[in-house]
Coordinates of all heavy atoms in Angstrom, one line a residue:
M151 N -180.4 -117.7 26.6 CA -181.5 -118.5 27.2 C -181.4 -118.4 28.7 O -180.4 -118.5 29.3 CB -181.3 -119.9 26.7 CG -182.1 -120.9 27.4 SD -182.2 -122.5 26.5 CE -181.1 -123.4 27.5
T152 N -182.5 -118.1 29.3 CA -182.5 -117.9 30.8 C -183.3 -119.1 31.3 O -184.4 -119.5 30.8 CB -183.2 -116.6 31.2 OG1 -184.5 -116.5 30.7 CG2 -182.4 -115.4 30.7
G153 N -182.8 -119.6 32.4 CA -183.4 -120.8 33.1 C -184.2 -120.4 34.3 O -184.7 -121.3 35.0
G154 N -184.3 -119.1 34.7 CA -184.9 -118.7 35.9 C -184.2 -117.5 36.5 O -183.3 -116.9 35.8
P155 N -184.6 -117.1 37.7 CA -184.0 -115.9 38.3 C -182.5 -116.1 38.5 O -182.1 -117.2 38.9 CB -184.8 -115.8 39.6 CG -185.4 -117.1 39.9 CD -185.5 -117.8 38.5
R156 N -181.7 -115.1 38.3 CA -180.3 -115.1 38.6 C -180.1 -114.7 40.1 O -180.8 -113.8 40.6 CB -179.6 -114.1 37.7 CG -179.7 -114.4 36.2 CD -178.7 -115.4 35.7 NE -177.3 -115.0 36.1 CZ -176.3 -115.8 36.2 NH1 -176.5 -117.1 35.9 NH2 -175.1 -115.4 36.6
F157 N -179.2 -115.4 40.7 CA -178.9 -115.1 42.1 C -177.5 -114.4 42.1 O -176.7 -114.5 41.3 CB -178.8 -116.4 42.9 CG -180.1 -116.9 43.4 CD1 -181.1 -117.3 42.5 CD2 -180.3 -117.0 44.7 CE1 -182.3 -117.7 43.0 CE2 -181.5 -117.5 45.2 CZ -182.5 -117.8 44.3
A158 N -177.4 -113.5 43.2 CA -176.1 -112.8 43.4 C -175.6 -113.0 44.8 O -176.5 -113.1 45.7 CB -176.4 -111.3 43.1
P159 N -174.3 -113.0 45.0 CA -173.8 -113.2 46.3 C -174.0 -111.9 47.1 O -173.8 -110.8 46.6 CB -172.3 -113.5 46.1 CG -172.0 -112.8 44.8 CD -173.3 -112.9 44.0
V160 N -174.3 -112.1 48.4 CA -174.5 -110.9 49.3 C -173.8 -111.0 50.6 O -173.6 -109.9 51.2 CB -176.0 -110.6 49.5 CG1 -176.7 -110.2 48.2 CG2 -176.8 -111.8 50.1
F161 N -173.5 -112.2 51.1 CA -173.0 -112.3 52.5 C -172.2 -113.6 52.6 O -172.7 -114.6 52.2 CB -174.1 -112.2 53.5 CG -173.6 -112.0 54.9 CD1 -173.4 -110.7 55.4 CD2 -173.4 -113.0 55.8 CE1 -172.9 -110.5 56.7 CE2 -172.9 -112.8 57.0 CZ -172.7 -111.5 57.5
I162 N -171.1 -113.5 53.3 CA -170.4 -114.7 53.7 C -170.4 -114.8 55.3 O -169.9 -113.9 55.9 CB -168.9 -114.8 53.3 CG1 -168.9 -114.9 51.8 CG2 -168.2 -116.0 53.9 CD1 -167.4 -114.9 51.2
A163 N -171.1 -115.8 55.8 CA -171.2 -116.0 57.2 C -170.0 -116.8 57.7 O -169.8 -117.9 57.2 CB -172.5 -116.6 57.6
A164 N -169.3 -116.3 58.7 CA -168.2 -117.0 59.3 C -168.5 -117.8 60.5 O -167.6 -118.5 61.1 CB -167.0 -116.0 59.5
S165 N -169.7 -117.7 61.1 CA -170.0 -118.4 62.3 C -171.5 -118.8 62.3 O -172.3 -118.2 61.5 CB -169.8 -117.4 63.5 OG -170.7 -116.4 63.5
V166 N -171.8 -119.7 63.2 CA -173.2 -120.1 63.3 C -174.1 -118.9 63.7 O -175.2 -118.8 63.2 CB -173.4 -121.3 64.3 CG1 -174.8 -121.6 64.6 CG2 -172.6 -122.5 63.8
A167 N -173.6 -118.0 64.6 CA -174.4 -116.9 65.0 C -174.7 -116.0 63.8 O -175.8 -115.4 63.7 CB -173.6 -116.1 66.1
E168 N -173.7 -115.8 62.9 CA -174.0 -115.0 61.7 C -175.0 -115.6 60.8 O -175.8 -115.0 60.2 CB -172.7 -114.7 60.9 CG -171.8 -113.6 61.6 CD -170.5 -113.3 60.7 OE1 -170.2 -114.1 59.8 OE2 -169.9 -112.3 61.0
I169 N -174.9 -116.9 60.6 CA -175.8 -117.7 59.8 C -177.2 -117.5 60.3 O -178.1 -117.1 59.6 CB -175.5 -119.2 59.8 CG1 -174.2 -119.4 59.0 CG2 -176.6 -120.0 59.1 CD1 -173.6 -120.8 59.2
D170 N -177.4 -117.6 61.6 CA -178.7 -117.5 62.3 C -179.3 -116.1 62.1 O -180.4 -115.9 61.7 CB -178.7 -117.8 63.8 CG -178.4 -119.3 64.0 OD1 -178.6 -120.1 63.1 OD2 -178.1 -119.6 65.2
T171 N -178.4 -115.1 62.3 CA -178.8 -113.7 62.1 C -179.2 -113.3 60.7 O -180.3 -112.7 60.5 CB -177.7 -112.7 62.6 OG1 -177.4 -113.0 64.0 CG2 -178.1 -111.3 62.5
V172 N -178.4 -113.8 59.7 CA -178.7 -113.5 58.3 C -180.0 -114.2 57.9 O -180.9 -113.6 57.2 CB -177.5 -113.8 57.4 CG1 -177.9 -113.8 55.9 CG2 -176.4 -112.9 57.7
E173 N -180.1 -115.5 58.3 CA -181.4 -116.2 57.9 C -182.6 -115.5 58.5 O -183.6 -115.4 57.8 CB -181.3 -117.6 58.5 CG -180.4 -118.5 57.7 CD -180.4 -119.9 58.2 OE1 -180.5 -120.2 59.4 OE2 -180.1 -120.8 57.3
K174 N -182.5 -115.0 59.8 CA -183.7 -114.3 60.4 C -184.0 -113.0 59.6 O -185.1 -112.8 59.4 CB -183.4 -114.1 61.8 CG -184.5 -113.3 62.5 CD -184.4 -113.3 64.0 CE -185.5 -112.6 64.7 NZ -186.7 -112.2 64.0
L175 N -182.9 -112.3 59.3 CA -183.2 -111.0 58.6 C -183.9 -111.3 57.2 O -184.8 -110.6 56.9 CB -181.9 -110.3 58.3 CG -181.3 -109.6 59.6 CD1 -179.8 -109.1 59.2 CD2 -182.1 -108.4 60.0
L176 N -183.4 -112.3 56.5 CA -183.9 -112.6 55.2 C -185.3 -113.1 55.3 O -186.2 -112.8 54.6 CB -183.0 -113.5 54.4 CG -181.7 -113.0 54.0 CD1 -180.8 -114.1 53.4 CD2 -181.8 -111.8 53.0
D177 N -185.5 -114.0 56.3 CA -186.9 -114.6 56.5 C -187.9 -113.5 56.9 O -189.0 -113.5 56.4 CB -186.8 -115.7 57.5 CG -186.1 -117.0 57.1 OD1 -186.0 -117.1 55.8 OD2 -185.7 -117.8 57.9
D178 N -187.5 -112.6 57.8 CA -188.4 -111.6 58.2 C -188.8 -110.6 57.1 O -189.9 -110.1 57.1 CB -187.7 -110.7 59.3 CG -187.6 -111.5 60.7 OD1 -188.2 -112.5 60.8 OD2 -187.0 -110.9 61.6
E179 N -187.9 -110.5 56.1 CA -188.2 -109.6 54.9 C -188.9 -110.4 53.8 O -189.2 -109.8 52.8 CB -186.9 -109.0 54.4 CG -186.2 -108.1 55.3 CD -187.0 -106.8 55.5 OE1 -187.5 -106.3 54.5 OE2 -187.1 -106.3 56.6
G180 N -189.0 -111.7 54.0 CA -189.7 -112.6 53.0 C -188.8 -112.7 51.7 O -189.4 -112.9 50.6
I181 N -187.5 -112.7 51.9 CA -186.6 -112.8 50.7 C -186.1 -114.2 50.6 O -185.6 -114.8 51.5 CB -185.4 -111.8 50.9 CG1 -185.9 -110.4 51.0 CG2 -184.3 -112.0 49.9 CD1 -184.8 -109.4 51.4
Q182 N -186.3 -114.7 49.3 CA -185.8 -116.1 49.0 C -184.3 -116.0 48.9 O -183.7 -115.0 48.4 CB -186.3 -116.5 47.7 CG -187.7 -117.0 47.7 CD -188.1 -117.6 46.4 OE1 -187.7 -117.2 45.3 NE2 -188.9 -118.7 46.5
Y183 N -183.6 -117.0 49.4 CA -182.2 -117.1 49.3 C -181.7 -118.5 49.1 O -182.4 -119.5 49.3 CB -181.5 -116.5 50.6 CG -181.9 -117.2 51.9 CD1 -181.2 -118.2 52.4 CD2 -183.1 -116.8 52.6 CE1 -181.5 -118.8 53.6 CE2 -183.5 -117.4 53.7 CZ -182.7 -118.4 54.3 OH -183.0 -119.0 55.4
D184 N -180.4 -118.6 48.7 CA -179.8 -119.9 48.6 C -178.5 -119.8 49.4 O -177.9 -118.7 49.6 CB -179.5 -120.2 47.1 CG -179.2 -121.6 46.8 OD1 -179.4 -122.5 47.7 OD2 -178.8 -121.9 45.7
V185 N -178.0 -120.9 49.8 CA -176.7 -121.0 50.6 C -175.8 -122.1 50.0 O -176.3 -123.0 49.4 CB -176.9 -121.2 52.1 CG1 -177.6 -120.0 52.7 CG2 -177.6 -122.5 52.4
R186 N -174.5 -121.8 50.1 CA -173.6 -122.9 49.7 C -172.3 -122.6 50.5 O -172.0 -121.5 50.9 CB -173.3 -122.9 48.2 CG -172.8 -121.6 47.7 CD -172.6 -121.7 46.1 NE -172.4 -120.5 45.5 CZ -171.3 -120.1 44.9 NH1 -170.3 -121.0 44.8 NH2 -171.1 -119.0 44.3
P187 N -171.5 -123.7 50.7 CA -170.2 -123.5 51.4 C -169.3 -122.7 50.5 O -169.4 -122.7 49.3 CB -169.7 -124.9 51.5 CG -170.6 -125.8 50.8 CD -171.8 -125.1 50.4
H188 N -168.5 -121.9 51.1 CA -167.5 -121.0 50.4 C -166.3 -120.7 51.2 O -166.4 -120.4 52.4 CB -168.2 -119.7 50.0 CG -167.5 -118.9 49.0 ND1 -167.5 -119.2 47.6 CD2 -166.6 -117.9 49.1 CE1 -166.7 -118.4 47.0 NE2 -166.2 -117.5 47.9
E189 N -165.1 -120.8 50.6 CA -163.9 -120.5 51.3 C -163.7 -119.0 51.3 O -164.1 -118.3 50.3 CB -162.7 -121.2 50.6 CG -162.7 -122.7 50.7 CD -161.5 -123.3 50.0 OE1 -160.9 -122.6 49.1 OE2 -161.3 -124.5 50.2
F190 N -163.1 -118.5 52.4 CA -162.8 -117.1 52.4 C -161.5 -116.9 53.3 O -161.1 -117.8 54.0 CB -163.9 -116.2 53.0 CG -164.2 -116.5 54.5 CD1 -163.7 -115.7 55.5 CD2 -165.0 -117.6 54.9 CE1 -163.9 -116.0 56.8 CE2 -165.2 -117.9 56.2 CZ -164.7 -117.1 57.2
L191 N -160.8 -115.7 53.1 CA -159.6 -115.4 53.9 C -160.0 -114.7 55.1 O -160.8 -113.7 55.1 CB -158.7 -114.6 53.0 CG -158.0 -115.3 51.8 CD1 -157.1 -114.4 51.1 CD2 -157.3 -116.6 52.3
R192 N -159.4 -115.1 56.3 CA -159.7 -114.5 57.5 C -158.3 -113.9 58.0 O -157.3 -114.6 58.0 CB -160.2 -115.5 58.5 CG -160.5 -115.0 59.9 CD -160.9 -116.1 60.8 NE -162.0 -116.8 60.4 CZ -163.2 -116.9 61.0 NH1 -163.3 -116.4 62.2 NH2 -164.2 -117.7 60.5
G193 N -158.4 -112.7 58.4 CA -157.1 -112.0 58.9 C -156.5 -111.2 57.7 O -157.0 -111.2 56.6
T194 N -155.5 -110.4 58.1 CA -154.9 -109.5 57.1 C -153.4 -109.9 56.9 O -153.0 -110.3 55.8 CB -155.0 -108.1 57.6 OG1 -154.5 -107.9 58.9 CG2 -156.4 -107.6 57.5
L195 N -152.6 -109.8 57.9 CA -151.2 -110.0 57.7 C -150.9 -111.5 57.5 O -150.2 -111.9 56.6 CB -150.4 -109.5 59.0 CG -148.9 -109.7 58.9 CD1 -148.4 -108.9 57.7 CD2 -148.3 -109.1 60.2
F196 N -151.4 -112.4 58.4 CA -151.2 -113.8 58.2 C -152.6 -114.4 57.9 O -153.2 -115.1 58.8 CB -150.6 -114.4 59.5 CG -149.3 -113.9 59.8 CD1 -149.1 -112.9 60.8 CD2 -148.2 -114.3 59.0 CE1 -147.8 -112.4 61.0 CE2 -146.9 -113.8 59.3 CZ -146.7 -112.8 60.3
A197 N -153.1 -114.2 56.8 CA -154.5 -114.7 56.4 C -154.5 -116.2 56.4 O -153.6 -116.8 55.9 CB -154.9 -114.0 55.1
A198 N -155.6 -116.7 56.9 CA -155.9 -118.1 56.8 C -157.2 -118.4 56.0 O -158.1 -117.6 56.1 CB -156.0 -118.7 58.2
C199 N -157.2 -119.4 55.3 CA -158.4 -119.8 54.5 C -159.3 -120.5 55.5 O -159.0 -121.5 56.1 CB -158.0 -120.7 53.4 SG -159.3 -121.0 52.2
S200 N -160.6 -120.1 55.5 CA -161.6 -120.6 56.3 C -162.8 -121.0 55.5 O -162.9 -120.5 54.4 CB -162.0 -119.7 57.4 OG -161.0 -119.4 58.3
M201 N -163.7 -121.8 56.0 CA -164.9 -122.2 55.3 C -166.1 -121.4 55.9 O -166.2 -121.4 57.2 CB -165.1 -123.7 55.4 CG -166.3 -124.2 54.5 SD -166.1 -123.8 52.8 CE -164.9 -125.0 52.3
G202 N -166.9 -120.8 55.1 CA -168.1 -120.1 55.6 C -169.3 -120.5 54.7 O -169.2 -121.5 54.0
V203 N -170.3 -119.8 54.9 CA -171.6 -120.0 54.2 C -171.9 -118.8 53.4 O -172.0 -117.7 53.9 CB -172.7 -120.4 55.1 CG1 -174.0 -120.5 54.4 CG2 -172.5 -121.7 55.9
L204 N -172.0 -119.0 52.1 CA -172.3 -117.9 51.2 C -173.8 -117.8 50.9 O -174.4 -118.8 50.6 CB -171.6 -118.1 49.8 CG -171.8 -117.0 48.7 CD1 -171.3 -115.7 49.1 CD2 -171.2 -117.5 47.4
F205 N -174.3 -116.6 51.2 CA -175.8 -116.4 51.0 C -175.9 -115.7 49.6 O -175.2 -114.7 49.3 CB -176.3 -115.5 52.1 CG -176.6 -116.2 53.4 CD1 -175.6 -116.5 54.3 CD2 -177.9 -116.6 53.7 CE1 -175.8 -117.1 55.5 CE2 -178.2 -117.3 54.9 CZ -177.1 -117.5 55.7
E206 N -176.9 -116.1 48.8 CA -177.1 -115.5 47.6 C -178.6 -115.2 47.5 O -179.5 -116.0 48.0 CB -176.7 -116.5 46.4 CG -175.2 -116.7 46.4 CD -174.9 -117.8 45.4 OE1 -175.4 -118.9 45.4 OE2 -174.0 -117.5 44.5
V207 N -179.0 -114.1 46.9 CA -180.4 -113.7 46.7 C -180.6 -113.4 45.3 O -179.7 -113.2 44.5 CB -180.8 -112.5 47.6 CG1 -180.6 -112.9 49.1 CG2 -180.0 -111.3 47.3
H208 N -181.9 -113.2 44.9 CA -182.2 -112.7 43.5 C -181.5 -111.4 43.3 O -181.4 -110.5 44.1 CB -183.7 -112.6 43.4 CG -184.5 -113.8 43.4 ND1 -185.2 -114.3 42.3 CD2 -184.6 -114.8 44.4 CE1 -185.8 -115.4 42.7 NE2 -185.4 -115.8 43.9
E209 N -180.9 -111.3 42.1 CA -180.2 -110.1 41.7 C -180.9 -108.8 42.0 O -180.2 -107.9 42.5 CB -179.8 -110.1 40.2 CG -178.7 -111.0 39.9 CD -178.3 -111.0 38.4 OE1 -179.2 -110.8 37.6 OE2 -177.1 -111.2 38.1
G210 N -182.1 -108.7 41.8 CA -182.9 -107.5 42.0 C -183.0 -107.1 43.5 O -183.3 -106.0 43.8
Q211 N -182.7 -108.0 44.4 CA -182.8 -107.8 45.8 C -181.4 -107.6 46.5 O -181.4 -107.4 47.7 CB -183.6 -108.9 46.5 CG -185.0 -108.9 46.1 CD -185.8 -110.1 46.7 OE1 -185.3 -111.3 46.6 NE2 -186.9 -109.9 47.2
A212 N -180.4 -107.8 45.7 CA -179.0 -107.9 46.3 C -178.6 -106.6 47.0 O -178.1 -106.7 48.1 CB -178.0 -108.3 45.2
E213 N -178.8 -105.5 46.3 CA -178.3 -104.2 46.9 C -179.1 -103.9 48.2 O -178.5 -103.5 49.2 CB -178.4 -103.1 45.9 CG -177.3 -103.0 44.9 CD -175.9 -103.1 45.6 OE1 -175.7 -102.3 46.5 OE2 -175.1 -103.8 45.1
Y214 N -180.4 -104.2 48.2 CA -181.2 -104.0 49.4 C -180.7 -104.8 50.5 O -180.6 -104.4 51.7 CB -182.7 -104.3 49.1 CG -183.5 -104.3 50.3 CD1 -183.9 -103.1 50.9 CD2 -183.9 -105.5 51.0 CE1 -184.7 -103.1 52.1 CE2 -184.6 -105.5 52.1 CZ -185.0 -104.3 52.7 OH -185.7 -104.3 53.9
C215 N -180.4 -106.1 50.2 CA -179.9 -107.0 51.3 C -178.6 -106.6 51.8 O -178.3 -106.7 53.0 CB -179.8 -108.5 50.7 SG -181.4 -109.2 50.4
R216 N -177.7 -106.1 50.9 CA -176.4 -105.7 51.4 C -176.5 -104.5 52.4 O -175.9 -104.4 53.4 CB -175.5 -105.3 50.2 CG -175.1 -106.5 49.4 CD -174.2 -106.1 48.2 NE -173.9 -107.3 47.4 CZ -174.4 -107.4 46.1 NH1 -175.1 -106.4 45.5 NH2 -174.1 -108.5 45.4
R217 N -177.4 -103.6 52.0 CA -177.7 -102.4 52.9 C -178.3 -102.9 54.2 O -177.9 -102.4 55.3 CB -178.6 -101.4 52.3 CG -177.9 -100.5 51.3 CD -178.8 -99.3 50.9 NE -180.1 -99.7 50.4 CZ -180.5 -100.1 49.2 NH1 -179.5 -100.1 48.3 NH2 -181.7 -100.4 48.9
L218 N -179.2 -103.8 54.2 CA -179.9 -104.4 55.4 C -178.8 -105.0 56.3 O -178.8 -104.7 57.5 CB -180.9 -105.4 54.9 CG -181.6 -106.2 56.1 CD1 -182.5 -105.3 56.9 CD2 -182.4 -107.3 55.5
F219 N -177.9 -105.8 55.8 CA -176.9 -106.4 56.6 C -176.0 -105.4 57.2 O -175.6 -105.4 58.4 CB -176.1 -107.4 55.8 CG -176.9 -108.5 55.2 CD1 -176.6 -109.1 54.0 CD2 -178.0 -109.1 55.9 CE1 -177.3 -110.1 53.4 CE2 -178.7 -110.1 55.3 CZ -178.4 -110.6 54.1
A220 N -175.5 -104.4 56.4 CA -174.6 -103.4 56.9 C -175.3 -102.6 58.0 O -174.7 -102.3 59.0 CB -174.2 -102.5 55.8
E221 N -176.6 -102.2 57.8 CA -177.3 -101.4 58.8 C -177.6 -102.3 60.1 O -177.9 -101.7 61.1 CB -178.6 -100.9 58.2 CG -178.4 -99.8 57.2 CD -179.6 -99.5 56.4 OE1 -180.7 -100.1 56.7 OE2 -179.5 -98.7 55.5
S222 N -177.5 -103.6 60.0 CA -177.7 -104.5 61.1 C -176.4 -104.9 61.8 O -176.4 -105.8 62.6 CB -178.4 -105.7 60.6 OG -179.7 -105.4 60.1
G223 N -175.3 -104.2 61.5 CA -174.0 -104.4 62.1 C -173.2 -105.6 61.5 O -172.3 -106.1 62.2
L224 N -173.6 -106.0 60.3 CA -172.9 -107.2 59.7 C -172.1 -106.8 58.5 O -171.8 -107.6 57.6 CB -174.0 -108.2 59.3 CG -174.8 -108.8 60.4 CD1 -176.0 -109.5 59.8 CD2 -174.0 -109.7 61.3
A225 N -171.6 -105.6 58.5 CA -170.9 -105.1 57.3 C -169.7 -105.9 56.9 O -169.3 -106.1 55.7 CB -170.4 -103.6 57.5
A226 N -169.0 -106.5 57.9 CA -167.8 -107.3 57.6 C -168.0 -108.5 56.7 O -167.1 -108.9 56.0 CB -167.2 -107.8 58.9
G227 N -169.2 -109.0 56.7 CA -169.5 -110.2 55.9 C -170.2 -109.9 54.5 O -170.4 -110.8 53.7
V228 N -170.5 -108.6 54.3 CA -171.2 -108.2 53.1 C -170.2 -108.4 51.9 O -169.0 -108.0 52.0 CB -171.7 -106.8 53.2 CG1 -172.2 -106.3 51.8 CG2 -172.8 -106.7 54.2
V229 N -170.7 -109.0 50.8 CA -169.9 -109.1 49.6 C -170.6 -108.5 48.4 O -171.9 -108.6 48.4 CB -169.5 -110.6 49.3 CG1 -168.6 -111.1 50.4 CG2 -170.7 -111.5 49.2
G230 N -169.9 -108.0 47.5 CA -170.5 -107.4 46.3 C -170.4 -108.4 45.1 O -169.8 -109.5 45.3
P231 N -170.9 -108.0 44.0 CA -170.9 -108.9 42.9 C -169.5 -109.2 42.3 O -169.4 -110.3 41.7 CB -171.8 -108.1 41.8 CG -171.7 -106.7 42.3 CD -171.5 -106.7 43.7
D232 N -168.6 -108.4 42.6 CA -167.2 -108.6 42.1 C -166.3 -109.3 43.1 O -165.2 -109.6 42.8 CB -166.6 -107.3 41.6 CG -167.4 -106.7 40.4 OD1 -167.9 -107.5 39.6 OD2 -167.4 -105.5 40.3
D233 N -166.8 -109.5 44.3 CA -166.0 -110.1 45.4 C -165.9 -111.6 45.3 O -165.0 -112.2 45.9 CB -166.6 -109.7 46.8 CG -166.5 -108.2 47.0 OD1 -165.6 -107.6 46.5 OD2 -167.3 -107.7 47.7
I234 N -166.9 -112.2 44.6 CA -167.0 -113.7 44.6 C -166.8 -114.1 43.1 O -167.6 -113.7 42.3 CB -168.3 -114.2 45.1 CG1 -168.6 -113.7 46.6 CG2 -168.4 -115.7 45.1 CD1 -167.6 -114.2 47.6
A235 N -165.9 -115.1 42.9 CA -165.8 -115.6 41.6 C -167.0 -116.5 41.3 O -167.4 -117.3 42.1 CB -164.5 -116.5 41.5
D236 N -167.6 -116.3 40.1 CA -168.8 -117.1 39.7 C -168.3 -118.5 39.3 O -168.0 -118.7 38.1 CB -169.5 -116.4 38.6 CG -170.9 -117.1 38.4 OD1 -171.3 -117.9 39.2 OD2 -171.5 -116.7 37.4
E237 N -168.3 -119.4 40.3 CA -167.7 -120.8 40.0 C -168.7 -121.6 39.2 O -168.4 -122.7 38.8 CB -167.4 -121.4 41.4 CG -166.4 -120.7 42.1 CD -166.5 -120.9 43.6 OE1 -167.4 -121.6 44.1 OE2 -165.7 -120.3 44.4
R238 N -169.9 -121.2 39.1 CA -171.0 -121.9 38.4 C -172.0 -120.9 37.9 O -172.1 -119.8 38.4 CB -171.6 -122.9 39.3 CG -172.3 -122.2 40.5 CD -172.9 -123.2 41.5 NE -173.4 -122.5 42.6 CZ -174.4 -122.9 43.4 NH1 -174.9 -124.1 43.2 NH2 -174.8 -122.2 44.4
S239 N -172.7 -121.3 36.9 CA -173.8 -120.5 36.4 C -175.0 -120.8 37.3 O -175.5 -121.9 37.3 CB -174.1 -120.8 35.0 OG -175.3 -120.1 34.6
H240 N -175.3 -119.9 38.2 CA -176.3 -120.2 39.3 C -177.6 -119.6 38.9 O -177.7 -118.4 39.0 CB -175.7 -119.7 40.6 CG -176.6 -120.1 41.8 ND1 -176.6 -119.5 43.0 CD2 -177.6 -121.0 41.8 CE1 -177.5 -120.1 43.8 NE2 -178.1 -121.0 43.1
N241 N -178.5 -120.4 38.6 CA -179.9 -119.9 38.2 C -180.9 -120.1 39.3 O -182.1 -120.2 39.0 CB -180.3 -120.5 36.9 CG -179.5 -120.0 35.7 OD1 -179.2 -118.8 35.7 ND2 -179.2 -120.8 34.8
G242 N -180.4 -120.4 40.5 CA -181.3 -120.6 41.6 C -181.8 -122.0 41.7 O -182.1 -122.6 40.8
S243 N -181.9 -122.4 43.0 CA -182.5 -123.8 43.2 C -183.3 -123.8 44.5 O -183.6 -124.9 45.0 CB -181.3 -124.7 43.3 OG -180.4 -124.4 44.4
S244 N -183.6 -122.6 45.0 CA -184.4 -122.7 46.3 C -185.9 -122.3 46.0 O -186.2 -121.8 45.0 CB -183.9 -121.8 47.3 OG -183.9 -120.4 46.9

């Protein structure tokens, strides 16, 4: 049983500047998205847990969005479908 479009994670923004940039890219492309708070690890040797904003888009647009972000210099925040644990069954709410 499907309740609507499935969303997929595409980006974790670690700063307000990244949030603004990603929102502008998605808005300019007319892509619907959802956001939610999400913890992520920052650093490598002495990693610290930080809070960021996870952007999710319709599954059919996810790969396009990941490429768009990478080509816009935002590759560090791009996440794939296996990078984020599906903590909820997310059928979209935006």
Side-chain angles (χ1 to χ4, degrees):
M151 172 164 101
T152 58
R156 297 276 307 159
F157 277 61
V160 292
F161 194 86
I162 296 178
S165 69
V166 173
E168 284 184 344
I169 293 169
D170 291 344
T171 301
V172 170
E173 285 181 331
K174 180 169 181 4
L175 287 169
L176 293 172
D177 289 343
D178 287 351
E179 294 291 320
I181 295 172
Q182 283 188 321
Y183 60 92
D184 197 11
V185 296
R186 62 182 166 115
H188 191 80
E189 293 178 346
F190 67 98
L191 292 179
R192 183 185 301 239
T194 52
L195 184 57
F196 298 104
C199 189
S200 296
M201 186 60 72
V203 174
L204 177 65
F205 283 81
E206 298 173 305
V207 300
H208 292 241
E209 282 181 329
Q211 296 175 312
E213 282 306 315
Y214 171 77
C215 291
R216 291 181 187 114
R217 281 193 310 275
L218 176 66
F219 301 144
E221 292 169 0
S222 299
L224 299 168
V228 173
V229 294
D232 298 327
D233 295 332
I234 304 294
D236 190 13
E237 298 153 0
R238 61 185 173 151
S239 174
H240 186 196
N241 290 324
S243 60
S244 62

